[in-house]
């Protein structure tokens, strides 16, 4: 026969504890309110302290993290008092990981773009050199063409022209 669940008992103790903290919180002047839930130095709800306050065994602390019906109660109260909820460290780490991955992808993209720019500049320089060479060839051909036209004009005028190469 299965043991009865301890979750209902934990929930009753947790609700009573949270109600007491809410009464204390609401009793403070509104402009001076400070969280009455235990908090870590970085502004997160201290779940271990909550577990100790409601007399949970060390082996039962996990219920406050794992059971949605318990963690949601704590999170609602924590957020209402301006504290970060249970799991916010994991969400922050996931966000940090996502940000790091995005930064790595951007760095890779920037590196590829820089490499493409260098390659494009090399191609541009090569094309410019080829264009200069083509322009020089065209000038040589224009000069030869002009010389040949002059010779043809002289032949048509009845002059004999001797061409030596």
């Amino acid at each position: 026969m299965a043991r009865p669940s301890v979750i209902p008992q934990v929930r009753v103790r947790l609700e009573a504890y949270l109600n007491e903290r809410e009464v204390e919180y609401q009793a403070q002047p509104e402009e001076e309110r400070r969280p009455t839930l235990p908090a870590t130095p970085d502004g997160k709800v201290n779940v271990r302290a909550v577990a100790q306050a409601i007399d949970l065994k060390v082996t039962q602390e996990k219920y406050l993290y794992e059971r949605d019906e318990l963690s949601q109660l704590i999170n609602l109260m924590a957020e209402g008092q301006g504290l970060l909820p249970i799991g916010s460290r994991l969400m922050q780490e996931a966000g940090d990981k996502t940000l790091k991955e995005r930064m790595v992808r951007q760095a890779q993209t920037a590196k590829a773009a820089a490499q493409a720019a260098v390659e494009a500049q090399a191609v541009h320089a090569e094309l410019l050199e080829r264009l200069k060479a083509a322009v020089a060839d065209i000038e040589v051909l224009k000069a030869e063409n002009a010389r040949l036209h002059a010779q043809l004009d002289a032949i048509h005028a009845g002059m004999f022209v001797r061409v030596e190469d």
Side-chain angles (χ1 to χ4, degrees), residues 3-4 12 16 21 32 40 48 52 54 68 74 84 87 90 95 105 112-113 119 121 130 136 142 146:
R3 290 187 320 189
V12 168
R21 299 295 77 77
E32 297 177 17
T40 62
R48 176 156 286 147
Q52 290 171 349
I54 62 172
D68 285 339
I74 296 170
L84 295 172
L90 295 175
R105 281 194 308 271
E119 291 172 4
Q121 284 179 328
R130 290 174 65 188
K142 279 184 180 179

Side-chain angles (χ1 to χ4, degrees), residues 2-10 63 67 69:
R3 290 187 320 189
S5 175
V6 295
I7 300 302
Q9 296 167 359
V10 171
Y63 297 140
R67 299 299 294 248
E69 64 264 34

Side-chain angles (χ1 to χ4, degrees), residues 120-137:
Q121 284 179 328
V123 168
H124 181 263
E126 180 185 347
L127 288 174
L128 192 57
E129 288 300 316
R130 290 174 65 188
L131 180 62
K132 286 178 184 178
V135 167
D137 288 346

Side-chain angles (χ1 to χ4, degrees), residues 9-143:
Q9 296 167 359
V10 171
R11 184 181 176 121
V12 168
R13 289 189 299 199
L14 179 62
E15 286 176 345
Y17 174 77
L18 294 175
N19 286 336
E20 291 170 9
R21 299 295 77 77
E22 181 65 16
V23 169
E24 288 176 13
Y25 182 75
Q26 294 297 329
Q28 298 175 23
E30 191 169 337
E31 61 279 348
E32 297 177 17
R33 284 189 180 151
R34 300 213 183 277
T36 55
L37 283 175
T40 62
D42 57 349
K44 297 175 179 88
V45 64
N46 187 334
V47 182
R48 176 156 286 147
V50 171
Q52 290 171 349
I54 62 172
D55 297 322
L56 288 184
K57 297 175 186 173
V58 175
T59 58
Q60 294 175 328
E61 287 180 12
K62 65 182 179 180
Y63 297 140
L64 298 180
Y65 293 98
E66 296 173 354
R67 299 299 294 248
D68 285 339
E69 64 264 34
L70 301 176
S71 61
Q72 287 176 359
L73 289 172
I74 296 170
N75 286 344
L76 287 172
M77 176 72 72
E79 290 174 356
Q81 292 187 7
L83 297 173
L84 295 172
I86 296 172
S88 61
R89 184 172 288 130
L90 295 175
M91 290 184 283
Q92 182 180 7
E93 289 171 0
D96 290 348
K97 183 179 178 184
T98 302
L99 179 61
K100 186 177 179 180
E101 289 172 353
R102 187 179 329 148
M103 289 174 65
V104 166
R105 281 194 308 271
Q106 287 176 341
Q108 290 170 340
T109 302
K111 184 178 178 181
Q115 181 64 32
V118 167
E119 291 172 4
Q121 284 179 328
V123 168
H124 181 263
E126 180 185 347
L127 288 174
L128 192 57
E129 288 300 316
R130 290 174 65 188
L131 180 62
K132 286 178 184 178
V135 167
D137 288 346
I138 289 172
E139 292 302 319
V140 168
L141 292 174
K142 279 184 180 179

